[in-house]
Amino acid sequence: MARSMAGSFIGLFSPYDIYFVNKSRNTIFHFYDSRGLDIVSNSKETLKELYLKRNEWILNYDLERIDSIFNSNIGEHSDALHHQSDLQ
């Protein structure tokens, strides 16, 4: 869905900041350009669902850090995770 939204709304570049806010899941999708998006949430579980389902979206330079967050033995926390993805 994000891939089709990005293609429909962004084109190559947009002069606008584009955000999709999902209030029921406390998630914000920020399409920064046609190459990708940032995903933030105050819920680690919500982000973990995306992490498991759309792991291929994670850029290589973010992969180790993000893997360590979701594969750690640390309990739940409400810190927002900055998740970048490459839609191409």
Side-chain angles (χ1 to χ4, degrees), residues 9-68:
F9 291 107
I10 295 177
L12 291 176
F13 292 97
S14 173
Y16 305 102
D17 289 329
I18 300 172
Y19 295 87
F20 289 94
V21 178
N22 184 329
K23 292 171 77 173
S24 64
R25 296 183 55 86
N26 295 319
T27 307
I28 300 171
F29 293 77
H30 171 234
F31 293 88
Y32 53 81
D33 63 26
S34 64
R35 298 169 296 163
L37 63 110
D38 295 328
I39 302 171
V40 294
S41 178
N42 64 354
S43 166
K44 184 176 178 179
E45 282 306 309
T46 298
L47 291 174
K48 187 167 186 172
E49 289 177 36
L50 284 168
Y51 168 79
L52 295 172
K53 187 173 182 177
R54 302 291 182 200
N55 194 270
E56 73 277 5
W57 287 2
I58 301 170
L59 298 175
N60 287 335
Y61 70 82
D62 284 334
L63 190 57
E64 186 176 329
R65 181 177 60 89
I66 292 172
D67 281 346
S68 72

